[in-house]
Amino acid sequence: MRLDLSGKVAVITGASRGIGRQTALTLAGAGATVVLTSRGDAAAAVAAEVTAAGGQALAFAADVADAEAVQHVVETTTARFGRLDVLVNNAGITRDQLLLRMKREDWDAVLATNLTGTFLCTQAVLRTMLKQRSGRIISISSVVGQSGNPGQTNYAATKAGIIGFSKALAREVASRSITVNVVAPGLIDTDMTRDISSDAQANWASAIPLGRLGTPEDVAAAVCFLASDAAGYITGQVLAINGGMYA
Ligand code: NAD
């Protein structure tokens, strides 16, 4: 089945690289108009890739923790394209440290991007989706939010928080045909995980039943499915993309 997103407008946060970049390319490949955000100007290069391939894309420099910047992205998108169908809350960071050594700023920074960013972006798109009586909100959690990981109490709290946030919102907005789901990747080969040594990566891979790290394409395909008409009866769910880890 080929997923068709033509006529849909999708906002993807943190789309300059990794999972966000690939999600933008995959959704655009399925026919969506994509709106890409990143903290700096780097999403513009990905938007140019989409346009060069014949798609429609717009890029913004916008920190997801900055309410005004987020509002500007949403207002400009709806003014320009007349609708907003899909939000992918992808922007995320880590600041790893054992709890006793964790500084307040490591805690605050991770909460601001991963959890407050998800809250601000979702709240900003919701008015348009409620008026449309349709919408897809897809947030990227992590296996760490489900099972924990030493040195990542801050990150795990945000990724578990995204699951609770999404399950509550799914119930709030279901009557307006808006679905709210979570994708929980395992270990995915991106810049975020490239600092892990090759020995550690091999160790991880041996603990993954499918025997390899995931790719941004693996995650983007799941997001594309949840954004499509094929997933219209799925809401409040967590879809693990982890090669069978902890299954
Ligand atoms: P990455 O570091 O390669 O990319 C993160 C993107 O988010 C970048 O474009 C960055 O500029 C953007 N970003 C960071 N803070 C931002 C902010 N405040 N405002 C706007 N944009 C911001 O990471 P990735 O591996 O592609 O991860 C993407 C998402 O997937 C994250 O939420 C991450 O937690 C999650 N995830 C990743 C893995 C993995 O193994 N790579 C596993 C589970 C979950």
Side-chain angles (χ1 to χ4, degrees):
M1 177 177 52
R2 192 186 174 276
L3 299 170
D4 183 10
L5 299 183
S6 36
K8 310 267 188 212
V9 177
V11 174
I12 302 115
T13 68
S16 65
R17 64 183 206 183
I19 292 168
R21 170 182 174 275
Q22 185 55 49
T23 298
L25 297 176
T26 300
L27 298 189
T33 295
V34 289
V35 176
L36 295 76
T37 80
S38 65
R39 267 174 307 191
D41 291 329
V46 183
E49 259 185 87
V50 170
T51 314
Q56 197 170 17
L58 202 57
F60 290 90
D63 187 321
V64 290
D66 177 344
E68 268 181 40
V70 166
Q71 201 55 42
H72 173 71
V73 171
V74 171
E75 280 170 12
T76 311
T77 299
T78 45
R80 172 97 180 255
F81 302 115
R83 55 186 304 112
L84 203 168
D85 303 284
V86 180
L87 169 68
V88 184
N89 284 309
N90 166 77
I93 59 167
T94 53
R95 293 272 189 286
D96 297 353
Q97 194 53 267
L98 295 174
L99 186 66
L100 281 183
R101 292 190 196 142
M102 189 175 287
K103 296 198 177 78
R104 173 69 189 258
E105 53 259 39
D106 298 326
W107 176 263
D108 287 344
V110 172
L111 260 78
T113 289
N114 299 9
L115 201 50
T116 306
T118 297
F119 159 71
L120 290 173
C121 294
T122 305
Q123 200 177 46
V125 301
L126 203 56
R127 206 174 299 280
T128 304
M129 290 184 177
L130 287 169
K131 273 198 219 130
Q132 282 174 189
R133 292 186 165 267
S134 69
R136 298 295 165 87
I137 296 165
I138 302 153
S139 301
I140 310 297
S141 174
S142 168
V143 67
V144 172
Q146 300 172 299
S147 306
N149 196 32
Q152 292 198 307
T153 49
N154 49 0
Y155 184 74
T158 63
K159 294 300 181 178
I162 283 171
I163 295 174
F165 172 85
S166 301
K167 284 182 178 277
L169 184 64
R171 289 173 181 269
E172 273 188 35
V173 299
S175 64
R176 302 290 182 93
S177 301
I178 299 168
T179 68
V180 187
N181 290 293
V182 173
V183 169
L187 194 61
I188 310 299
D189 186 15
T190 68
D191 289 310
M192 186 181 262
T193 48
R194 238 157 249 155
D195 286 344
I196 302 174
S197 70
S198 50
D199 280 359
Q201 293 216 8
N203 259 342
W204 272 99
S206 68
I208 298 170
L210 284 179
R212 65 168 175 87
L213 266 55
T215 63
E217 287 82 356
D218 291 325
V219 182
V223 174
C224 190
F225 165 65
L226 289 172
S228 75
D229 289 346
Y233 199 55
I234 300 174
T235 196
Q237 302 304 309
V238 182
L239 180 53
I241 310 297
N242 61 18
M245 235 174 166
Y246 305 116

